[in-house]
């Protein structure tokens, strides 16, 4: 695969296809059952052949792994389960040789309770400078037995934990993830140094976890539903943080993508001003049901949100936190909401896979950049994890009602006839792989002209070589009920049939690609998409 075109290297992120690697489940190079950097390095040619532009790694840092690595103990060290810093530097260089940029994940809202700062804070005691880096407070009630406020958790459960000396500390996520105090200069300085550390090692960008949560109301006032401003989401002071970060990124031609969940379009766009973040994840599209009206409205809203700040939209169907696309699209409720996840939800996997194929072409034809979660190119379904093997804290903090996120994190199948489907050669994988996953293996799909992998490779090849894809305008075309049809530059047209019956394709000169076979009459079947040249 050729290196990126240097003539557009400065703005590659505006229309890039970025592949998300969850290192623990990508490939196991040392046979211990856990994915690692050695495994990723060995499988980089798969990503180059797939045709993506960059690879985003979820946290690979030293961590107790209470929350899948999002509880970081040391940002300058690779977790021993994944490898070493030297291996990470080699991976970045080897990826560059294949034309692949690397994006790392930063988790600025909190650290692990095993981080040196937090251990020092516990040892130092109330009122100490070490505790000022976090949110330690006395409790309420006669003896301080009540939490300092009533903030709801980002996971199920409490947001405050009491330590033996009587003070409480804030954690919007698990107790093992204490929140940092972003009004403290040490916190600002440390994260700026961490950014430089990784940019110096050649990474092209940084994904920012929970990007709207960093700054908190100074008085930690109680949360009241519907009362603005929110005490810990989208505080105005957070933009000072990202302006300082952007100055650092610009020194290295680095880019940012923020995890920003906000319903207010105007406030969302503030994060994408020219001196702040480059892009932000589009969660509205990810959670949208497979319904033509809702999809069109979400696409229109997304493009309208980004237009005032001239930022490109991002499109994603799945990630390491949500139900796999092929499973979700086969359910009665095709939307995604953490609150509705339950064990035993029925799904029509054949229908869901057909829709996932169509959604792939829809997503790749939209203006902006695309994120592709590992295994989506294989059409992997959500795996049912035996209850005694579940590891996700969301499951336990829900009292066992939420199945958690492990079902989309199962180690990938590479070779149909190998132990663990080629994920590793030794110990059983950290999460069990379903018994019928040989059919999804990379080697088997590579030789199948009709496989999901072949569809993605073909689509990404066309997206890279055919004019009209990527950043730029979109114009909706008149179409029958239940059909989404739009045109891009150079006569590129995308048609997606979400109706119950076949539809005629608009007049065209060439059928570039379809997500499934056309009917004998040349019409587009239900839950099928096509790319045309008109």
């Amino acid at each position: 695969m050729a290196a990126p075109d240097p003539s557009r290297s400065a703005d590659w992120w505006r229309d890039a296809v970025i592949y998300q690697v969850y290192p623990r489940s990508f490939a196991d190079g040392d046979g211990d059952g856990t994915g690692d950097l050695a495994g990723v390095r060995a499988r980089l040619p798969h990503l180059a052949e797939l045709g993506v532009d960059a690879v985003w790694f979820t946290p690979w840092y030293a961590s107790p792994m209470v929350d899948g690595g999002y509880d970081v103990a040391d940002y300058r060290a690779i977790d021993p389960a994944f490898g070493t810093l030297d291996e990470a530097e080699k991976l970045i260089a080897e990826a560059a040789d294949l034309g692949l940029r690397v994006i790392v994940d930063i988790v600025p809202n909190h650290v692990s309770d095993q981080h040196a700062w937090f251990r020092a804070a516990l040892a130092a005691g109330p009122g100490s400078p070490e505790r000022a880096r976090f949110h330690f407070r006395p409790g309420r009630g006669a003896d301080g037995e009540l939490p300092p406020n009533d903030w709801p958790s980002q996971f199920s459960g409490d947001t405050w934990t009491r330590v033996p000396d009587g003070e409480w500390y804030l954690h919007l996520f698990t107790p093992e993830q204490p929140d940092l105090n972003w009004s403290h200069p040490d916190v600002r300085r440390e994260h700026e140094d961490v950014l430089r550390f990784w940019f110096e090692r050649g990474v092209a960008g940084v994904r920012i976890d929970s990007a709207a949560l960093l700054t908190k109301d100074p008085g930690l006032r109680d949360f009241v539903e519907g009362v603005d401003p929110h005490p810990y989401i989208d505080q105005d002071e957070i933009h000072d943080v990202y302006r300082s970060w952007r100055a650092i990124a610009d020194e290295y031609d680095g880019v940012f993508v923020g995890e920003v969940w906000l319903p207010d379009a105007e406030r969302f766009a503030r994060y994408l001003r020219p001196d702040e973040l480059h892009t932000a994840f589009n969660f509205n599209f990810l959670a949208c049901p497979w319904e033509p009206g809702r999809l069109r409205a979400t696409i229109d809203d997304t493009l309208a949100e980004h237009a005032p700040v001239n930022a490109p939209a991002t499109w994603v169907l799945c990630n390491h936190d949500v139900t796999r696309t092929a499973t979700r699209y086969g359910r009665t409720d095709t939307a995604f909401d953490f609150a509705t996840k339950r064990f035993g939800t029925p799904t029509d996997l054949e229908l869901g896979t057909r829709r996932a194929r169509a959604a792939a072409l829809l997503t790749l034809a939209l203006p902006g950049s695309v994120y592709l979660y590992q295994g989506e190119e294989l059409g992997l379904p959500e795996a049912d994890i035996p209850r005694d093997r579940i590891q996700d804290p969301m499951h336990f903090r829900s009292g066992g009602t939420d199945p958690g996120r492990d079902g989309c994190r199962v180690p990938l199948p590479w070779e149909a006839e190998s132990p663990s489907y080629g994920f590793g050669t030794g110990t059983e994988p950290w999460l069990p792989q379903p018994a019928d996953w040989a059919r999804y293996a990379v080697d088997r799909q590579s030789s199948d002209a009709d496989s999901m992998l072949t569809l993605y490779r073909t689509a990404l090849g066309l997206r890279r070589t055919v004019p009209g894809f990527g950043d730029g305008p979109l114009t909706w075309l008149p179409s029958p009920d239940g059909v989404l049809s739009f045109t891009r530059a150079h006569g590129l047209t995308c048609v997606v049939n979400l109706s119950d019956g076949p539809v005629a394709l608009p007049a065209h000169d060439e059928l570039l690609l379809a997500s499934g076979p056309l009917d004998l009459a040349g019409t587009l079947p239900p839950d099928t998409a096509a790319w045309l040249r008109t």
Side-chain angles (χ1 to χ4, degrees), residues 241-382:
V241 173
Y242 293 135
R243 278 189 284 270
S244 70
W245 284 24
R246 179 61 178 261
I248 294 170
D250 287 347
E251 293 178 28
Y252 298 92
D253 294 325
V255 301
F256 291 125
V257 55
E259 183 190 27
V260 182
W261 295 72
L262 290 177
D264 186 307
E266 188 274 332
R267 294 197 67 88
F268 172 83
R270 294 184 185 189
Y271 290 80
L272 301 177
R273 288 176 290 197
D275 62 345
E276 295 192 40
L277 308 183
H278 299 75
T279 60
F281 278 131
N282 182 356
F283 289 104
N284 291 335
F285 184 78
L286 177 149
C288 187
W290 186 249
E291 299 172 9
R294 295 279 296 277
L295 281 169
R296 177 166 174 167
T298 300
I299 292 167
D300 283 340
D301 290 347
T302 298
L303 297 177
E305 285 174 355
H306 290 74
V309 287
N310 191 34
T314 65
W315 310 98
V316 59
L317 293 171
C318 186
N319 64 26
H320 64 290
D321 287 332
V322 306
T323 303
R324 288 264 186 199
T325 311
T327 295
R328 178 165 60 92
Y329 280 166
R331 292 177 170 172
T332 301
D333 180 4
T334 56
F336 177 80
D337 188 335
F338 284 114
T340 62
K341 287 191 72 174
R342 292 293 182 270
F343 287 99
T345 305
T347 188
D348 180 342
L349 193 54
E350 181 180 348
L351 174 64
T353 300
R354 189 164 65 248
R355 289 172 170 173
R357 291 174 65 93
L361 296 198
L362 168 63
T363 305
L364 291 170
L366 293 170
S369 58
V370 176
Y371 282 78
L372 174 59
Y373 177 49
Q374 67 179 43
E376 287 291 289
E377 81 276 21
L378 305 178
L380 293 184
E382 187 85 352

Side-chain angles (χ1 to χ4, degrees), residues 11 19-20 35 103 129 159 169 203-204 273 308 320 344 408 438 505:
D11 64 350
Y19 187 97
Q20 180 191 352
I103 295 173
T159 55
Y169 69 88
V203 304
R273 288 176 290 197
H320 64 290
C408 66
L505 292 171

Side-chain angles (χ1 to χ4, degrees), residues 171-479:
H171 51 86
L172 293 182
F173 294 85
T174 71
E176 294 84 4
Q177 294 166 290
D179 279 39
L180 290 164
N181 175 13
W182 272 88
S183 66
H184 197 294
D186 285 359
V187 175
R188 295 278 296 265
R189 189 181 309 114
E190 167 68 3
H191 281 79
E192 290 172 1
D193 287 349
V194 166
L195 291 175
R196 292 184 186 279
F197 180 88
W198 286 105
F199 281 135
E200 289 284 352
R201 277 154 183 77
V203 304
V206 172
R207 182 262 190 187
I208 305 166
D209 181 71
S210 300
L213 300 185
L214 277 57
T215 54
K216 313 295 194 289
D217 178 86
L220 302 183
R221 59 180 173 82
D222 281 348
F223 170 75
V224 180
E225 188 73 45
V227 174
D228 292 327
H230 195 287
Y232 64 81
I233 296 176
D234 188 34
Q235 294 270 307
D236 287 341
E237 293 76 13
I238 202 168
H239 298 286
D240 293 334
V241 173
Y242 293 135
R243 278 189 284 270
S244 70
W245 284 24
R246 179 61 178 261
I248 294 170
D250 287 347
E251 293 178 28
Y252 298 92
D253 294 325
V255 301
F256 291 125
V257 55
E259 183 190 27
V260 182
W261 295 72
L262 290 177
D264 186 307
E266 188 274 332
R267 294 197 67 88
F268 172 83
R270 294 184 185 189
Y271 290 80
L272 301 177
R273 288 176 290 197
D275 62 345
E276 295 192 40
L277 308 183
H278 299 75
T279 60
F281 278 131
N282 182 356
F283 289 104
N284 291 335
F285 184 78
L286 177 149
C288 187
W290 186 249
E291 299 172 9
R294 295 279 296 277
L295 281 169
R296 177 166 174 167
T298 300
I299 292 167
D300 283 340
D301 290 347
T302 298
L303 297 177
E305 285 174 355
H306 290 74
V309 287
N310 191 34
T314 65
W315 310 98
V316 59
L317 293 171
C318 186
N319 64 26
H320 64 290
D321 287 332
V322 306
T323 303
R324 288 264 186 199
T325 311
T327 295
R328 178 165 60 92
Y329 280 166
R331 292 177 170 172
T332 301
D333 180 4
T334 56
F336 177 80
D337 188 335
F338 284 114
T340 62
K341 287 191 72 174
R342 292 293 182 270
F343 287 99
T345 305
T347 188
D348 180 342
L349 193 54
E350 181 180 348
L351 174 64
T353 300
R354 189 164 65 248
R355 289 172 170 173
R357 291 174 65 93
L361 296 198
L362 168 63
T363 305
L364 291 170
L366 293 170
S369 58
V370 176
Y371 282 78
L372 174 59
Y373 177 49
Q374 67 179 43
E376 287 291 289
E377 81 276 21
L378 305 178
L380 293 184
E382 187 85 352
D384 290 325
I385 308 298
R387 292 194 185 224
D388 62 351
R389 296 291 301 274
I390 293 176
Q391 300 194 26
D392 184 14
M394 286 191 78
H395 168 71
F396 302 105
R397 287 171 66 83
S398 72
T401 61
D402 186 335
R405 299 163 293 178
D406 290 343
C408 66
R409 300 175 175 182
V410 174
L412 297 187
W414 293 94
E415 299 158 2
E417 303 302 326
S418 297
S420 304
Y421 305 120
F423 170 72
T425 57
T427 306
E428 180 187 2
W430 71 280
L431 282 176
Q433 297 164 301
D436 63 347
W437 268 25
R439 59 180 169 150
Y440 295 108
V442 171
D443 62 349
R444 187 164 291 183
Q445 292 204 42
S446 293
S447 59
D448 180 357
D450 297 322
S451 70
M452 183 74 85
L453 178 57
T454 299
L455 177 71
Y456 265 101
R457 285 175 175 171
T458 304
L460 290 171
L462 289 170
R463 195 178 194 273
R464 183 181 289 269
T465 58
V466 172
F469 289 101
D471 202 16
L474 173 152
T475 302
W476 292 105
L477 298 175
S479 56

